[in-house]
Amino acid sequence: MLGEQALNLIKELERNPDIIPPYNDDLMKRCIEEIKSLYQQNINSLAELNAGRVGAEHASLLQARHAAIERTKRCMLAYIYHRQQRLKRYRWDYGGVLPSTIKVCLCEAEVRWFHEYCKNLADFQSGLGESGSCGVDLTVNMEPPKSLFVQVMCVKDYDEFETSDGTRYLLKKNSLHSLPRQDCEHLIRQGILELV
Amino acid sequence: MFIQEFRSQFYEIIKQKKHALVLVNLDVDAVCACKILLYLFECDHVKFSVLPVSGWKELRDTVEAHSDQNKMMVLINCGGTRSLIDTITPPDDVVFFIIDSHRPFDLDNVFDDERVKILAKREEIDDLNCPPMNEIYYPSDDESEEDGNSSDSAVERSPTKKRNRMADIEQRVAKKQRRARWNKQRGDHLWNYYENSWYSVSSALCMFELAHDLSKSTAELLWCAVVGVTSQYVDGLITDERYISTCVDRLRVHVKRFNHLADSQKNLVDRLRISFDKELALPLYRHWSLYSSMEHDPSIVCRLRLWTQKGARDMHHFLADLGLTLGDCQQLFSALSSEQRKDVVARLQTNSDKYKLTSTVFGSFIASAGYCNSFNAADFARALGVQLEVACTGESAESNFFSALSTMSAFLDTRQKRRNPKLVQCGIETCKTFLEAVVREVYVAINQNHVLPTGAFLLVYMSQGPDLRFFTGRHSIASFARFLLRAFVTASANKFNGRPLVVAVPLSGAYDGWYEVLGIMPLNTADMDGHNKSFIGRAFDRVCDRSSVRVERDHFDSCLIRLKAEDRGRFFNALQAVLETVA
């Protein structure tokens, strides 16, 4: 059936909404083949039509084929565009270094685009703020935090801890502290602190 | 040094420093006060660390460990009654702010202008009757120098003028006499000042008034203050009059204000609503059956003498007289229909006089939010108190403190759908088992004559048993002691009305071989200046000074001490002697 391959491309993305599925080179190629063959058929038909060898009813066949071409093309573009969107989201969520599990799923062009995107973002960020400063990291605090500090419970004895603004805390088991959000994240991950 | 302007002299200073260490005693009032203070700190981005402390030793260790990092220390319900500088010996640059409901304050703390700041209301400071400074601290350095000079000059001049020397000697003798007189006077002053210990206004209320002053008060904070005040009442730390006057004068205004706000925003069902109303004085009856609740209420138990066989019969008569069916009484109160509920409460109120039941009703606060059961402040305070002292999870006192704090937070969380009264419910269930244990122990003590009338006071040793795990802190032992004293006095036909009761609870674990000893005042004690004053702590102190018994006076409440088991005979003999001289 015409356009079935293109539909499969879209379905594949639809089935895996949270990840980037491996780049389906095979299906893409088959879509291209399909477009090519349809186009060739159209050219042939057009030549016959102009020569007057077939009746005017063939003109509508021509239009149908053209619509099929357009649709396949749109599906392919959608496929590429959505993958790009997902890739972009990874940049904001995980930072500039892609994990290898994701990397194997990308095609060469996508990897190139990703590096380009990272570079642009870095350039933009370093240009922000006053000249001489190191710019602003736009990827932290994607949702506006309710407060600058979070309340954390200390569940293991830890030594003295200094926050980025120079305040010193002594973290001991069974004590409650309010710490700047970004400073204590790694301690939470280590299991020394617990969010209240 | 007393601070009267909480806002400018306490809060603003901490706000500038941006970092404070909050040390909290393990009682309900302190938990509530801490909750309010943390909310304020959070609003103003003040960084804080919170550590619970259970006694003087822990307070000293904690201050020592943290004095490097924190220079501002806020002490809630602890630290006021002993000289901080002497007991803790902190570094010079540490400043203490004391918010303490224990009275009297140590005079060293009161007169330390630099490092110790005590938060107290103006009207209270006059009540404290602090002796003037010059009568406590002898202006010693000038005098001694003068002394030295005069003696030197006397030696120099002695060969030349005899008369002068005589005058010198006379002068010195006069000075000595003056000094002795002054010393005696000082002793009297100190004796009068430290004679009694009592509890003053709740720290949670002080913190709430501070929050109000900062225009940051909310209905949630008000509930904290209400629970703090009510916990003092439930524990018998403040007199009924003082409780009522506090509620009416200082809390009801705020309740009205917030109710008005809540009424104007009717669409918010989830908003916390607090009301001030008459309540039955039965423990936990909203979450229990009426029958069980009555069985665990001291005044009904003592009135009907439920520890006797006749008592149970009397109870049924009593209920029949009230016109309540057993079926209604024995099912969950919340499962009754709303007419029945109103009816039951009204009957109990009107018929209480007939049975000489005093105080079946008291003014209390009720909180309701959303569609869940409403909570009475007294029940809430009881649940938190039990949660603080009875290790439900088998863990340390510190983790109990934080579980109580998170219970409070979960109940008060204003964010939509995050309000969670489950933890309070859980606390109330624990509280039920605790009350059952108290009643069981009281019955055992009365029926098996465990109370020993030893002259000036009554003495009870609690026996080892599974119930002992409930009696670990001041709140639980004191509830048991007050219940027992009342029951014992009733059982002995008011013969021992004027005797204080001392309870000794054997400890286990790290303190195996020690007793926790708590003394409470006699039933007929008249209120002094509207406070429940107690001389027991002072008596304990004197016993420890006079004899060499092994005792740990670690608790912030001086009426509670730890005693080595072998020394108990000597200790109680000495206590007998002390109390007899007082009486």
Side-chain angles (χ1 to χ4, degrees):
Chain A
M1 206 172 88
L2 275 184
E4 199 178 355
Q5 318 285 354
L7 189 64
N8 280 342
L9 270 182
I10 301 295
K11 273 184 181 163
E12 194 185 291
L13 278 188
E14 178 87 18
R15 275 196 293 269
N16 310 300
D18 304 321
I19 57 160
I20 292 191
Y23 180 75
N24 202 333
D25 204 27
D26 179 43
L27 215 51
M28 283 295 264
K29 273 188 182 139
R30 272 196 276 166
C31 284
I32 294 169
E33 289 303 315
E34 192 179 281
I35 290 175
K36 273 185 185 159
S37 79
L38 283 172
Y39 188 70
Q40 201 55 50
Q41 283 174 28
N42 263 2
I43 286 177
N44 294 343
S45 303
L46 198 66
E48 284 182 12
L49 205 65
N50 285 344
R53 263 174 279 167
V54 287
E57 68 273 10
H58 276 255
S60 47
L61 193 64
L62 203 74
Q63 275 176 343
R65 281 204 201 103
H66 188 68
I69 291 173
E70 287 293 316
R71 182 169 176 281
T72 313
K73 223 156 78 182
R74 242 178 69 199
C75 288
M76 287 168 70
L77 284 176
Y79 181 74
I80 292 167
Y81 176 73
H82 271 277
R83 286 177 63 89
Q84 193 191 49
Q85 287 299 315
R86 287 181 192 184
L87 205 55
K88 204 192 247 177
R89 214 181 61 218
Y90 279 129
R91 170 64 187 88
W92 290 85
D93 289 352
Y94 301 114
V97 184
L98 283 177
S100 56
T101 45
I102 294 178
K103 220 164 192 171
V104 293
C105 298
L106 303 180
C107 73
E108 204 180 314
E110 278 170 335
V111 175
R112 234 182 6 251
W113 175 86
F114 187 76
H115 287 311
E116 194 81 350
Y117 184 75
C118 288
K119 200 168 147 279
N120 284 343
L121 188 67
D123 286 350
F124 179 66
Q125 281 179 352
S126 60
L128 287 176
E130 292 163 18
S131 60
S133 66
C134 52
V136 182
D137 189 359
L138 295 173
T139 56
V140 293
N141 290 337
M142 291 303 285
E143 282 173 16
K146 278 254 187 287
S147 63
L148 293 175
F149 300 102
V150 283
Q151 288 192 20
V152 286
M153 267 290 288
C154 191
V155 287
K156 275 183 202 159
D157 275 338
Y158 188 77
D159 215 22
E160 195 178 274
F161 175 68
E162 191 166 341
T163 58
S164 49
D165 58 354
T167 321
R168 288 181 301 159
Y169 290 83
L170 186 68
L171 301 179
K172 276 198 163 177
K173 197 181 167 184
N174 277 328
S175 56
L176 182 74
H177 306 270
S178 77
L179 289 168
R181 192 174 284 269
Q182 69 270 22
D183 287 348
C184 62
E185 259 168 12
H186 69 277
L187 287 178
I188 294 174
R189 246 175 260 136
Q190 283 172 34
I192 291 162
L193 300 177
E194 249 174 33
L195 274 178
V196 176
Chain B
M1 174 183 169
F2 284 124
I3 285 183
Q4 292 160 16
E5 298 295 324
F6 290 5
R7 186 179 171 173
S8 59
Q9 290 178 303
F10 160 64
Y11 190 72
E12 297 292 336
I13 290 175
I14 290 188
K15 205 171 129 184
Q16 276 169 16
K17 289 276 178 192
K18 289 273 176 210
H19 192 191
L21 178 70
V22 185
L23 299 169
V24 195
N25 185 11
L26 301 171
D27 68 28
V28 179
D29 184 34
V31 171
C32 297
C34 172
K35 179 82 198 137
I36 299 176
L37 195 61
L38 295 195
Y39 174 80
L40 295 180
F41 282 168
E42 218 174 332
C43 286
D44 283 317
H45 299 308
V46 177
K47 285 160 282 183
F48 55 79
S49 304
V50 180
L51 285 149
V53 286
S54 57
W56 285 100
K57 191 171 164 298
E58 204 178 325
L59 179 65
R60 192 177 60 230
D61 294 347
T62 316
V63 169
E64 217 164 74
H66 286 80
S67 57
D68 232 16
Q69 288 87 9
N70 299 65
K71 299 300 172 197
M72 292 274 158
M73 308 229 175
V74 182
L75 272 53
I76 300 183
N77 271 2
C78 56
T81 50
R82 277 187 217 171
S83 170
L84 272 183
I85 305 297
D86 291 349
T87 22
I88 297 180
T89 53
D92 286 341
D93 50 352
V94 172
V95 179
F96 293 98
F97 291 94
I98 300 179
I99 310 160
D100 197 351
S101 60
H102 296 94
R103 299 287 183 276
F105 290 121
D106 191 277
L107 289 172
D108 286 352
N109 291 344
V110 172
F111 293 121
D112 192 312
D113 283 348
E114 300 284 317
R115 292 147 72 187
V116 182
K117 317 211 163 178
I118 304 173
L119 278 72
K121 291 269 168 194
R122 185 183 302 275
E123 58 268 21
E124 219 212 309
I125 293 174
D126 305 330
D127 266 6
L128 283 176
N129 293 326
C130 287
M133 189 170 181
N134 54 5
E135 293 188 6
I136 300 300
Y137 301 100
Y138 202 71
S140 51
D141 19 21
D142 315 341
E143 293 279 322
S144 60
E145 269 175 36
E146 222 176 83
D147 241 18
N149 286 342
S150 61
S151 60
D152 282 350
S153 53
V155 174
E156 280 168 22
R157 283 183 228 155
S158 56
T160 53
K161 284 185 181 173
K162 217 173 186 181
R163 257 185 67 201
N164 221 347
R165 203 173 137 195
M166 280 302 288
D168 262 353
I169 290 171
E170 267 169 27
Q171 217 174 1
R172 249 182 287 167
V173 170
K175 201 178 282 170
K176 229 178 223 168
Q177 277 173 347
R178 239 190 354 258
R179 179 83 199 224
R181 221 173 23 244
W182 183 89
N183 268 340
K184 191 177 169 301
Q185 214 174 12
R186 174 175 190 267
D188 289 348
H189 275 304
L190 289 182
W191 174 260
N192 287 336
Y193 182 74
Y194 289 121
E195 189 180 0
N196 293 307
S197 61
W198 72 98
Y199 283 80
S200 176
V201 63
S202 137
S203 305
L205 182 58
C206 289
M207 285 301 98
F208 177 75
E209 282 170 348
L210 171 69
H212 183 63
D213 206 22
L214 293 162
S215 321
K216 289 199 175 90
S217 58
T218 63
E220 280 75 22
L221 295 192
L222 176 63
W223 182 247
C224 292
V226 163
V227 172
V229 171
T230 314
S231 79
Q232 288 192 318
Y233 172 72
V234 170
D235 284 356
L237 305 179
I238 52 173
T239 60
D240 296 5
E241 292 80 39
R242 200 154 275 266
Y243 167 71
I244 290 165
S245 71
T246 312
C247 289
V248 173
D249 297 346
R250 293 167 81 168
L251 284 169
R252 209 173 50 171
V253 203
H254 297 292
V255 169
K256 275 188 185 149
R257 195 160 54 91
F258 287 118
N259 275 353
H260 181 72
L261 276 178
D263 284 340
S264 58
Q265 293 162 312
K266 280 214 169 79
N267 49 343
L268 290 172
V269 187
D270 215 27
R271 183 173 283 271
L272 180 73
R273 298 179 56 99
I274 303 174
S275 55
F276 182 63
D277 211 347
K278 278 185 176 175
E279 262 291 283
L280 287 183
L282 299 176
L284 310 178
Y285 78 95
R286 280 166 187 274
H287 315 274
W288 218 349
S289 73
L290 209 55
Y291 195 88
S292 330
S293 176
M294 284 162 103
E295 272 183 329
H296 296 92
D297 177 53
S299 65
I300 289 185
V301 168
C302 295
R303 176 72 194 81
L304 300 172
R305 297 168 181 246
L306 284 185
W307 55 87
T308 59
Q309 280 192 330
K310 192 167 155 283
R313 262 203 331 273
D314 284 352
M315 177 85 166
H316 286 199
H317 277 301
F318 172 64
L319 290 173
D321 266 3
L322 287 182
L324 306 175
T325 64
L326 273 181
D328 282 351
C329 292
Q330 276 168 346
Q331 66 174 312
L332 269 185
F333 184 77
S334 53
L336 296 174
S337 71
S338 67
E339 294 91 55
Q340 274 175 315
R341 261 184 282 177
K342 272 183 203 145
D343 196 38
V344 164
V345 173
R347 272 162 202 260
L348 263 175
Q349 286 179 6
T350 48
N351 284 315
S352 59
D353 290 342
K354 210 165 102 189
Y355 279 86
K356 291 178 202 150
L357 277 173
T358 49
S359 67
T360 38
V361 184
F362 72 118
S364 178
F365 296 88
I366 296 145
S368 53
Y371 297 105
C372 69
N373 262 347
S374 45
F375 289 92
N376 175 357
D379 293 347
F380 205 97
R382 281 194 187 99
L384 280 189
V386 169
Q387 211 168 11
L388 271 176
E389 290 187 355
V390 180
C392 4
T393 47
E395 282 188 36
S396 59
E398 286 83 15
S399 57
N400 282 346
F401 169 81
F402 285 111
S403 77
L405 196 63
S406 63
T407 301
M408 198 72 178
S409 315
F411 182 73
L412 297 176
D413 206 321
T414 45
R415 281 167 288 182
Q416 287 267 309
K417 288 179 190 152
R418 290 198 48 184
R419 191 188 295 284
N420 183 5
K422 285 235 174 63
L423 286 168
V424 191
Q425 288 288 9
C426 181
I428 281 177
E429 293 306 315
T430 327
C431 190
K432 283 181 192 171
T433 50
F434 165 69
L435 284 179
E436 280 161 3
V438 169
V439 169
R440 214 159 34 230
E441 289 295 322
V442 168
Y443 288 3
V444 167
I446 296 283
N447 286 333
Q448 303 183 2
N449 291 327
H450 283 181
V451 186
L452 314 168
T454 55
F457 63 98
L458 307 168
L459 176 63
V460 181
Y461 288 108
M462 281 189 90
S463 43
Q464 290 282 0
D467 282 342
L468 222 55
R469 72 184 175 97
F470 288 110
F471 301 98
T472 49
R474 188 193 54 91
H475 164 78
S476 45
I477 302 178
S479 347
F480 168 71
R482 280 184 302 122
F483 199 146
L484 179 62
L485 183 59
R486 208 161 155 182
F488 183 72
V489 169
T490 320
S492 59
N494 289 345
K495 214 166 86 193
F496 299 105
N497 218 348
R499 306 247 182 109
L501 174 74
V502 177
V503 181
V505 186
L507 293 170
S508 56
Y511 273 100
D512 201 20
W514 288 75
Y515 276 99
E516 196 94 63
V517 178
L518 174 88
I520 59 166
M521 290 295 279
L523 269 192
N524 67 351
T525 320
D527 303 337
M528 283 180 275
D529 318 327
H531 292 290
N532 268 346
K533 292 194 175 177
S534 160
F535 55 71
I536 305 284
R538 184 76 178 148
F540 283 170
D541 284 353
R542 287 187 48 130
V543 171
C544 302
D545 294 342
R546 283 182 182 182
S547 53
S548 58
V549 284
R550 274 166 292 172
V551 162
E552 276 186 14
R553 283 177 289 171
D554 191 46
H555 204 269
F556 294 115
D557 189 332
S558 55
C559 299
L560 187 64
I561 56 167
R562 224 170 257 149
L563 174 68
K564 188 87 180 143
E566 292 92 65
D567 291 350
R568 62 184 187 210
R570 275 166 58 217
F571 179 83
F572 289 123
N573 282 339
L575 183 64
Q576 172 92 357
V578 167
L579 287 178
E580 262 165 10
T581 54
V582 170

